[in-house]
Amino acid sequence: MLFKQQALLRQKLFVLGSLAVGSLLYLVARVGSLDRLPPICPIEGRFSPQNQDVATLRAMQYKRGLLHEFRKGNATKEQILLHNLVQQLPKAIIIGVRKGGTRALLEMLNLHPAVVKASQEIHFFDNDENYAKGIEWYRKKMPFSHPHQITIEKSPAYFITDEVPERIYKMNSSIKLLIIVREPTTRAISDYTQVLEGKERKNKTYYKFEKMAMDSNTCEVNTKYKAVRTSIYTKHLERWLKYFPIEQFHIVDGDRLITEPLPELQLVEKFLNLPPRISQYNLYFNATRGFYCLRFNIVFNKCLAGSKGRIHPEVDPSVITKLHKFFHPFNQKFFQITGRTFNWP
């Protein structure tokens, strides 16, 4: 009797196992079929509203699967020609600012099927050694893309480096430039926190933020401290305006990108003349991490590196007050020049 029951149980387990394997193979086949779909050109009005999410999903899936192989160097010249892929100079650059949210912005824009990002910071225009290698070296650092897509790179040091505006102008005088900013004092503290973490990993000591940000002789804000200088946005922007009109810049609210990313991304889509393709489907709040993560398709999600969202050290309130007062006139001028106002102290 016991033997018959065991045999019956084994038979049921075999049937259930077969069904499970069959279902898994079906899902794999379905995902694979999405990878073989042709690319979707980002032409306004091509998709009806009810089909937009499905079409966007398929375009993203196609792009992710195909371009990933080329980035890994697995493609032959014949495959590159077959798929009409090229390495294009960027049509838009995220030029800064450091600790403003440049990585988050780049990764979120990469959700758009018409955008292809350079994964690493190239540091072509701010590094004399790299710049001397020439524009072809720079182009070959770009990812493979379809001709209709926009290649975007980000190097936050561009914004504060004196030589960069002229160098970018010589490459492309009509390029679109993205600047993402946060409240200046918060950004300066975030800048300090990143450096502090690096020092601690190497078991090195580092001064407190208050000592770095304040001049010990005058008890005023230390403008020689790089983290403070970087947050004087208007000073850097004025140098760029010698080469580019303000219409070629778009200012992104880095604080809002953290708490409410979709409206900011929609503004960037409009600035880049892209059809609206990024939706709330692509962004979901991760309560554990405390910020939004990315959903590319039904099988691929991504959160930013764990180093993002570092906890800032406590800073003397009197120092924060002095920094707010110091940055205030520069902020007002920045608002006036850019036409965008933020709720900063």
Short mmCIF file of all heavy atoms in Angstrom, two decimals, residues 204-255:
data_model
loop_
_atom_site.label_atom_id
_atom_site.label_comp_id
_atom_site.label_asym_id
_atom_site.label_seq_id
_atom_site.Cartn_x
_atom_site.Cartn_y
_atom_site.Cartn_z
N LYS A 204 42.50 57.07 6.06
CA LYS A 204 43.12 58.39 6.16
C LYS A 204 42.19 59.33 6.92
O LYS A 204 40.98 59.22 6.85
CB LYS A 204 43.41 58.97 4.77
CG LYS A 204 44.48 58.20 3.99
CD LYS A 204 44.75 58.87 2.65
CE LYS A 204 45.84 58.14 1.87
NZ LYS A 204 46.11 58.80 0.57
N THR A 205 42.80 60.24 7.64
CA THR A 205 42.00 61.22 8.38
C THR A 205 41.64 62.38 7.43
O THR A 205 42.32 62.62 6.43
CB THR A 205 42.77 61.77 9.58
OG1 THR A 205 44.01 62.33 9.13
CG2 THR A 205 43.05 60.65 10.58
N TYR A 206 40.57 63.08 7.78
CA TYR A 206 40.11 64.19 6.94
C TYR A 206 39.46 65.23 7.84
O TYR A 206 38.82 64.89 8.84
CB TYR A 206 39.11 63.68 5.90
CG TYR A 206 38.86 64.61 4.75
CD1 TYR A 206 39.92 65.12 4.00
CD2 TYR A 206 37.57 64.97 4.37
CE1 TYR A 206 39.69 65.97 2.92
CE2 TYR A 206 37.33 65.81 3.30
CZ TYR A 206 38.40 66.31 2.58
OH TYR A 206 38.18 67.15 1.51
N TYR A 207 39.63 66.49 7.48
CA TYR A 207 39.04 67.56 8.28
C TYR A 207 37.52 67.49 8.26
O TYR A 207 36.92 66.99 7.31
CB TYR A 207 39.49 68.93 7.75
CG TYR A 207 40.94 69.24 7.96
CD1 TYR A 207 41.79 69.44 6.87
CD2 TYR A 207 41.46 69.35 9.25
CE1 TYR A 207 43.14 69.73 7.06
CE2 TYR A 207 42.81 69.65 9.44
CZ TYR A 207 43.65 69.84 8.34
OH TYR A 207 44.96 70.12 8.55
N LYS A 208 36.89 68.05 9.28
CA LYS A 208 35.44 68.16 9.29
C LYS A 208 35.01 69.17 8.24
O LYS A 208 35.78 70.06 7.84
CB LYS A 208 34.96 68.59 10.68
CG LYS A 208 35.17 67.54 11.76
CD LYS A 208 34.58 67.99 13.08
CE LYS A 208 33.07 68.06 13.03
NZ LYS A 208 32.46 68.38 14.33
N PHE A 209 33.76 69.05 7.80
CA PHE A 209 33.25 69.94 6.76
C PHE A 209 33.36 71.40 7.18
O PHE A 209 33.73 72.27 6.37
CB PHE A 209 31.78 69.61 6.46
CG PHE A 209 31.14 70.54 5.48
CD1 PHE A 209 31.38 70.42 4.12
CD2 PHE A 209 30.31 71.57 5.91
CE1 PHE A 209 30.81 71.30 3.21
CE2 PHE A 209 29.72 72.45 5.01
CZ PHE A 209 29.98 72.31 3.64
N GLU A 210 33.06 71.69 8.45
CA GLU A 210 33.09 73.07 8.94
C GLU A 210 34.46 73.70 8.75
O GLU A 210 34.58 74.88 8.38
CB GLU A 210 32.70 73.13 10.41
CG GLU A 210 31.24 72.80 10.69
CD GLU A 210 30.97 71.32 10.85
OE1 GLU A 210 31.83 70.50 10.43
OE2 GLU A 210 29.91 70.97 11.38
N LYS A 211 35.51 72.92 8.98
CA LYS A 211 36.87 73.45 8.86
C LYS A 211 37.24 73.70 7.40
O LYS A 211 37.98 74.65 7.09
CB LYS A 211 37.87 72.47 9.50
CG LYS A 211 39.29 73.00 9.56
CD LYS A 211 40.20 72.07 10.34
CE LYS A 211 41.62 72.60 10.41
NZ LYS A 211 41.73 73.90 11.09
N MET A 212 36.70 72.86 6.51
CA MET A 212 36.98 73.03 5.08
C MET A 212 36.20 74.20 4.50
O MET A 212 36.71 74.96 3.68
CB MET A 212 36.61 71.74 4.32
CG MET A 212 37.31 70.50 4.82
SD MET A 212 39.05 70.45 4.39
CE MET A 212 38.96 70.11 2.65
N ALA A 213 34.96 74.35 4.91
CA ALA A 213 34.07 75.34 4.29
C ALA A 213 34.23 76.75 4.84
O ALA A 213 33.81 77.71 4.20
CB ALA A 213 32.62 74.90 4.47
N MET A 214 34.86 76.88 6.00
CA MET A 214 35.01 78.19 6.62
C MET A 214 36.48 78.58 6.71
O MET A 214 37.34 77.75 7.01
CB MET A 214 34.38 78.21 8.01
CG MET A 214 32.91 77.79 8.05
SD MET A 214 31.84 78.79 6.99
CE MET A 214 31.98 80.38 7.82
N ASP A 215 36.77 79.85 6.45
CA ASP A 215 38.13 80.38 6.59
C ASP A 215 38.40 80.63 8.07
O ASP A 215 37.70 81.44 8.71
CB ASP A 215 38.26 81.68 5.79
CG ASP A 215 39.69 82.19 5.72
OD1 ASP A 215 40.37 82.19 6.77
OD2 ASP A 215 40.11 82.62 4.63
N SER A 216 39.38 79.97 8.62
CA SER A 216 39.65 80.07 10.06
C SER A 216 40.12 81.46 10.47
O SER A 216 39.97 81.86 11.63
CB SER A 216 40.71 79.03 10.47
OG SER A 216 41.90 79.22 9.73
N ASN A 217 40.67 82.21 9.53
CA ASN A 217 41.16 83.55 9.85
C ASN A 217 40.04 84.59 9.88
O ASN A 217 40.00 85.46 10.75
CB ASN A 217 42.23 83.99 8.84
CG ASN A 217 43.48 83.13 8.93
OD1 ASN A 217 43.91 82.75 10.03
ND2 ASN A 217 44.06 82.81 7.79
N THR A 218 39.13 84.49 8.92
CA THR A 218 38.06 85.50 8.81
C THR A 218 36.72 85.03 9.34
O THR A 218 35.81 85.83 9.51
CB THR A 218 37.89 85.91 7.34
OG1 THR A 218 37.44 84.77 6.60
CG2 THR A 218 39.20 86.41 6.74
N CYS A 219 36.60 83.69 9.56
CA CYS A 219 35.33 83.09 9.98
C CYS A 219 34.24 83.29 8.93
O CYS A 219 33.05 83.27 9.24
CB CYS A 219 34.87 83.65 11.33
SG CYS A 219 35.96 83.17 12.69
N GLU A 220 34.66 83.52 7.69
CA GLU A 220 33.72 83.64 6.58
C GLU A 220 33.84 82.40 5.68
O GLU A 220 34.73 81.57 5.87
CB GLU A 220 34.00 84.92 5.78
CG GLU A 220 33.79 86.21 6.56
CD GLU A 220 32.37 86.39 7.06
OE1 GLU A 220 31.44 85.92 6.37
OE2 GLU A 220 32.18 86.98 8.14
N VAL A 221 32.97 82.30 4.70
CA VAL A 221 32.97 81.14 3.80
C VAL A 221 34.29 81.09 3.03
O VAL A 221 34.78 82.10 2.50
CB VAL A 221 31.78 81.22 2.83
CG1 VAL A 221 31.86 80.11 1.78
CG2 VAL A 221 30.46 81.12 3.60
N ASN A 222 34.87 79.90 2.97
CA ASN A 222 36.14 79.69 2.29
C ASN A 222 35.91 79.43 0.80
O ASN A 222 35.59 78.31 0.39
CB ASN A 222 36.87 78.50 2.93
CG ASN A 222 38.19 78.20 2.25
OD1 ASN A 222 38.73 79.03 1.51
ND2 ASN A 222 38.73 77.01 2.50
N THR A 223 36.07 80.45 0.00
CA THR A 223 35.82 80.33 -1.44
C THR A 223 36.92 79.58 -2.18
O THR A 223 36.79 79.29 -3.37
CB THR A 223 35.65 81.72 -2.08
OG1 THR A 223 36.80 82.52 -1.78
CG2 THR A 223 34.40 82.42 -1.53
N LYS A 224 38.00 79.25 -1.47
CA LYS A 224 39.07 78.45 -2.08
C LYS A 224 38.75 76.96 -2.03
O LYS A 224 39.40 76.16 -2.71
CB LYS A 224 40.40 78.73 -1.39
CG LYS A 224 40.91 80.15 -1.59
CD LYS A 224 42.24 80.36 -0.88
CE LYS A 224 42.75 81.78 -1.08
NZ LYS A 224 44.05 82.02 -0.39
N TYR A 225 37.78 76.60 -1.20
CA TYR A 225 37.38 75.20 -1.08
C TYR A 225 36.57 74.81 -2.32
O TYR A 225 35.57 75.42 -2.65
CB TYR A 225 36.57 75.01 0.20
CG TYR A 225 36.08 73.60 0.46
CD1 TYR A 225 36.85 72.48 0.12
CD2 TYR A 225 34.85 73.38 1.06
CE1 TYR A 225 36.40 71.19 0.36
CE2 TYR A 225 34.39 72.10 1.32
CZ TYR A 225 35.16 71.02 0.97
OH TYR A 225 34.71 69.73 1.22
N LYS A 226 37.03 73.77 -3.01
CA LYS A 226 36.45 73.40 -4.30
C LYS A 226 34.96 73.09 -4.20
O LYS A 226 34.18 73.43 -5.10
CB LYS A 226 37.20 72.20 -4.89
CG LYS A 226 36.77 71.84 -6.30
CD LYS A 226 37.62 70.70 -6.85
CE LYS A 226 37.19 70.33 -8.26
NZ LYS A 226 38.02 69.22 -8.81
N ALA A 227 34.55 72.44 -3.13
CA ALA A 227 33.13 72.10 -2.97
C ALA A 227 32.26 73.35 -2.90
O ALA A 227 31.12 73.35 -3.39
CB ALA A 227 32.93 71.25 -1.72
N VAL A 228 32.79 74.41 -2.33
CA VAL A 228 32.07 75.68 -2.27
C VAL A 228 32.07 76.34 -3.65
O VAL A 228 31.03 76.80 -4.13
CB VAL A 228 32.69 76.62 -1.22
CG1 VAL A 228 32.14 78.04 -1.35
CG2 VAL A 228 32.44 76.09 0.19
N ARG A 229 33.21 76.38 -4.30
CA ARG A 229 33.31 77.03 -5.62
C ARG A 229 32.39 76.36 -6.64
O ARG A 229 31.77 77.04 -7.45
CB ARG A 229 34.76 76.99 -6.13
CG ARG A 229 35.74 77.85 -5.37
CD ARG A 229 36.96 78.18 -6.23
NE ARG A 229 37.47 77.04 -6.95
CZ ARG A 229 38.36 76.17 -6.48
NH1 ARG A 229 38.81 76.30 -5.23
NH2 ARG A 229 38.78 75.16 -7.22
N THR A 230 32.31 75.05 -6.61
CA THR A 230 31.47 74.34 -7.57
C THR A 230 30.01 74.74 -7.44
O THR A 230 29.27 74.80 -8.42
CB THR A 230 31.62 72.82 -7.39
OG1 THR A 230 32.98 72.45 -7.61
CG2 THR A 230 30.72 72.04 -8.35
N SER A 231 29.58 75.05 -6.21
CA SER A 231 28.18 75.41 -5.96
C SER A 231 27.83 76.84 -6.35
O SER A 231 26.67 77.24 -6.27
CB SER A 231 27.82 75.18 -4.49
OG SER A 231 27.68 73.80 -4.21
N ILE A 232 28.82 77.63 -6.77
CA ILE A 232 28.53 78.98 -7.27
C ILE A 232 28.20 78.84 -8.75
O ILE A 232 28.99 79.18 -9.64
CB ILE A 232 29.73 79.94 -7.04
CG1 ILE A 232 30.18 79.88 -5.58
CG2 ILE A 232 29.35 81.38 -7.41
CD1 ILE A 232 31.44 80.70 -5.29
N TYR A 233 27.02 78.34 -9.04
CA TYR A 233 26.65 77.93 -10.39
C TYR A 233 26.75 79.07 -11.41
O TYR A 233 27.20 78.88 -12.55
CB TYR A 233 25.23 77.36 -10.41
CG TYR A 233 25.00 76.23 -9.45
CD1 TYR A 233 23.85 76.16 -8.68
CD2 TYR A 233 25.94 75.19 -9.31
CE1 TYR A 233 23.62 75.11 -7.80
CE2 TYR A 233 25.72 74.14 -8.43
CZ TYR A 233 24.55 74.11 -7.67
OH TYR A 233 24.34 73.07 -6.81
N THR A 234 26.34 80.24 -11.01
CA THR A 234 26.29 81.35 -11.97
C THR A 234 27.67 81.73 -12.49
O THR A 234 27.82 82.11 -13.66
CB THR A 234 25.59 82.57 -11.34
OG1 THR A 234 25.44 83.58 -12.33
CG2 THR A 234 26.38 83.14 -10.17
N LYS A 235 28.70 81.62 -11.65
CA LYS A 235 30.06 81.96 -12.09
C LYS A 235 30.51 81.06 -13.22
O LYS A 235 31.14 81.51 -14.19
CB LYS A 235 31.03 81.86 -10.90
CG LYS A 235 30.84 82.93 -9.84
CD LYS A 235 31.27 84.29 -10.37
CE LYS A 235 31.24 85.34 -9.26
NZ LYS A 235 31.59 86.69 -9.75
N HIS A 236 30.21 79.78 -13.12
CA HIS A 236 30.61 78.83 -14.16
C HIS A 236 29.75 79.01 -15.41
O HIS A 236 30.26 78.98 -16.53
CB HIS A 236 30.50 77.40 -13.63
CG HIS A 236 31.27 77.18 -12.36
ND1 HIS A 236 32.65 77.23 -12.31
CD2 HIS A 236 30.86 76.91 -11.10
CE1 HIS A 236 33.05 77.01 -11.07
NE2 HIS A 236 31.99 76.81 -10.31
N LEU A 237 28.45 79.19 -15.21
CA LEU A 237 27.55 79.34 -16.35
C LEU A 237 27.91 80.56 -17.20
O LEU A 237 27.84 80.51 -18.44
CB LEU A 237 26.10 79.45 -15.86
CG LEU A 237 25.04 79.58 -16.95
CD1 LEU A 237 25.07 78.39 -17.90
CD2 LEU A 237 23.65 79.72 -16.32
N GLU A 238 28.32 81.63 -16.56
CA GLU A 238 28.69 82.85 -17.31
C GLU A 238 29.84 82.58 -18.27
O GLU A 238 29.89 83.16 -19.37
CB GLU A 238 29.05 83.97 -16.33
CG GLU A 238 27.84 84.59 -15.65
CD GLU A 238 28.22 85.54 -14.53
OE1 GLU A 238 29.40 85.54 -14.11
OE2 GLU A 238 27.35 86.30 -14.06
N ARG A 239 30.74 81.70 -17.91
CA ARG A 239 31.84 81.36 -18.80
C ARG A 239 31.32 80.58 -20.02
O ARG A 239 31.78 80.80 -21.15
CB ARG A 239 32.88 80.52 -18.03
CG ARG A 239 34.15 80.24 -18.84
CD ARG A 239 35.18 79.49 -18.02
NE ARG A 239 34.71 78.17 -17.62
CZ ARG A 239 34.31 77.85 -16.40
NH1 ARG A 239 34.32 78.76 -15.44
NH2 ARG A 239 33.89 76.64 -16.11
N TRP A 240 30.34 79.71 -19.81
CA TRP A 240 29.76 78.96 -20.91
C TRP A 240 28.98 79.86 -21.86
O TRP A 240 28.94 79.62 -23.08
CB TRP A 240 28.84 77.86 -20.36
CG TRP A 240 29.58 76.69 -19.80
CD1 TRP A 240 30.10 76.57 -18.54
CD2 TRP A 240 29.90 75.48 -20.48
NE1 TRP A 240 30.72 75.36 -18.40
CE2 TRP A 240 30.61 74.66 -19.57
CE3 TRP A 240 29.64 75.00 -21.76
CZ2 TRP A 240 31.07 73.39 -19.91
CZ3 TRP A 240 30.10 73.73 -22.11
CH2 TRP A 240 30.80 72.95 -21.19
N LEU A 241 28.37 80.89 -21.31
CA LEU A 241 27.53 81.79 -22.13
C LEU A 241 28.35 82.64 -23.09
O LEU A 241 27.79 83.30 -23.96
CB LEU A 241 26.68 82.67 -21.22
CG LEU A 241 25.57 81.93 -20.45
CD1 LEU A 241 24.89 82.87 -19.46
CD2 LEU A 241 24.55 81.33 -21.41
N LYS A 242 29.66 82.62 -22.95
CA LYS A 242 30.51 83.30 -23.92
C LYS A 242 30.52 82.56 -25.24
O LYS A 242 30.90 83.11 -26.28
CB LYS A 242 31.93 83.43 -23.37
CG LYS A 242 32.05 84.33 -22.14
CD LYS A 242 33.48 84.32 -21.61
CE LYS A 242 33.61 85.17 -20.34
NZ LYS A 242 34.99 85.11 -19.77
N TYR A 243 30.12 81.28 -25.22
CA TYR A 243 30.18 80.45 -26.42
C TYR A 243 28.80 79.94 -26.86
O TYR A 243 28.57 79.75 -28.06
CB TYR A 243 31.10 79.24 -26.18
CG TYR A 243 32.53 79.62 -25.96
CD1 TYR A 243 33.03 79.88 -24.69
CD2 TYR A 243 33.40 79.77 -27.05
CE1 TYR A 243 34.35 80.25 -24.49
CE2 TYR A 243 34.73 80.15 -26.86
CZ TYR A 243 35.19 80.39 -25.57
OH TYR A 243 36.49 80.78 -25.38
N PHE A 244 27.90 79.73 -25.91
CA PHE A 244 26.60 79.15 -26.24
C PHE A 244 25.46 80.04 -25.74
O PHE A 244 25.55 80.58 -24.63
CB PHE A 244 26.45 77.76 -25.61
CG PHE A 244 27.48 76.76 -26.05
CD1 PHE A 244 28.62 76.54 -25.28
CD2 PHE A 244 27.31 76.04 -27.22
CE1 PHE A 244 29.58 75.61 -25.67
CE2 PHE A 244 28.25 75.10 -27.62
CZ PHE A 244 29.39 74.89 -26.85
N PRO A 245 24.40 80.18 -26.52
CA PRO A 245 23.23 80.94 -26.03
C PRO A 245 22.51 80.13 -24.95
O PRO A 245 22.60 78.89 -24.92
CB PRO A 245 22.37 81.09 -27.29
CG PRO A 245 22.73 79.92 -28.15
CD PRO A 245 24.20 79.68 -27.90
N ILE A 246 21.77 80.82 -24.11
CA ILE A 246 21.10 80.17 -23.00
C ILE A 246 20.09 79.14 -23.49
O ILE A 246 19.78 78.16 -22.78
CB ILE A 246 20.42 81.22 -22.08
CG1 ILE A 246 19.99 80.59 -20.75
CG2 ILE A 246 19.24 81.87 -22.81
CD1 ILE A 246 21.12 80.05 -19.91
N GLU A 247 19.58 79.30 -24.71
CA GLU A 247 18.59 78.36 -25.26
C GLU A 247 19.17 76.96 -25.46
O GLU A 247 18.41 75.99 -25.58
CB GLU A 247 18.06 78.87 -26.60
CG GLU A 247 17.19 80.12 -26.51
CD GLU A 247 18.02 81.39 -26.30
OE1 GLU A 247 19.23 81.38 -26.61
OE2 GLU A 247 17.42 82.40 -25.83
N GLN A 248 20.49 76.84 -25.50
CA GLN A 248 21.10 75.52 -25.68
C GLN A 248 21.35 74.81 -24.36
O GLN A 248 21.90 73.70 -24.35
CB GLN A 248 22.41 75.64 -26.48
CG GLN A 248 22.17 75.81 -27.96
CD GLN A 248 23.44 76.01 -28.77
OE1 GLN A 248 23.56 76.97 -29.54
NE2 GLN A 248 24.40 75.11 -28.61
N PHE A 249 20.95 75.42 -23.27
CA PHE A 249 21.09 74.80 -21.96
C PHE A 249 19.73 74.41 -21.42
O PHE A 249 18.74 75.11 -21.64
CB PHE A 249 21.74 75.77 -20.96
CG PHE A 249 23.14 76.18 -21.30
CD1 PHE A 249 23.38 77.26 -22.15
CD2 PHE A 249 24.22 75.49 -20.79
CE1 PHE A 249 24.66 77.64 -22.47
CE2 PHE A 249 25.52 75.87 -21.11
CZ PHE A 249 25.74 76.94 -21.94
N HIS A 250 19.70 73.31 -20.72
CA HIS A 250 18.51 72.96 -19.95
C HIS A 250 18.94 72.67 -18.51
O HIS A 250 19.86 71.89 -18.28
CB HIS A 250 17.80 71.74 -20.53
CG HIS A 250 16.60 71.33 -19.73
ND1 HIS A 250 15.43 72.07 -19.72
CD2 HIS A 250 16.40 70.29 -18.88
CE1 HIS A 250 14.56 71.49 -18.92
NE2 HIS A 250 15.11 70.41 -18.39
N ILE A 251 18.26 73.32 -17.58
CA ILE A 251 18.58 73.14 -16.16
C ILE A 251 17.64 72.11 -15.58
O ILE A 251 16.41 72.24 -15.67
CB ILE A 251 18.45 74.48 -15.39
CG1 ILE A 251 19.22 75.60 -16.12
CG2 ILE A 251 18.92 74.31 -13.96
CD1 ILE A 251 20.69 75.35 -16.29
N VAL A 252 18.20 71.08 -14.98
CA VAL A 252 17.43 70.01 -14.35
C VAL A 252 17.48 70.19 -12.84
O VAL A 252 18.54 70.45 -12.27
CB VAL A 252 17.98 68.62 -14.73
CG1 VAL A 252 17.17 67.51 -14.06
CG2 VAL A 252 17.98 68.44 -16.25
N ASP A 253 16.34 70.06 -12.20
CA ASP A 253 16.24 70.16 -10.75
C ASP A 253 16.65 68.83 -10.14
O ASP A 253 15.86 67.87 -10.13
CB ASP A 253 14.80 70.52 -10.36
CG ASP A 253 14.63 70.76 -8.86
OD1 ASP A 253 15.52 70.37 -8.08
OD2 ASP A 253 13.60 71.35 -8.47
N GLY A 254 17.88 68.76 -9.62
CA GLY A 254 18.38 67.51 -9.06
C GLY A 254 17.65 67.07 -7.81
O GLY A 254 17.52 65.87 -7.55
N ASP A 255 17.16 68.02 -7.02
CA ASP A 255 16.40 67.67 -5.81
C ASP A 255 15.06 67.03 -6.19
O ASP A 255 14.63 66.05 -5.58
CB ASP A 255 16.17 68.91 -4.95
CG ASP A 255 17.47 69.48 -4.39
OD1 ASP A 255 18.23 68.72 -3.77
OD2 ASP A 255 17.73 70.68 -4.59
#
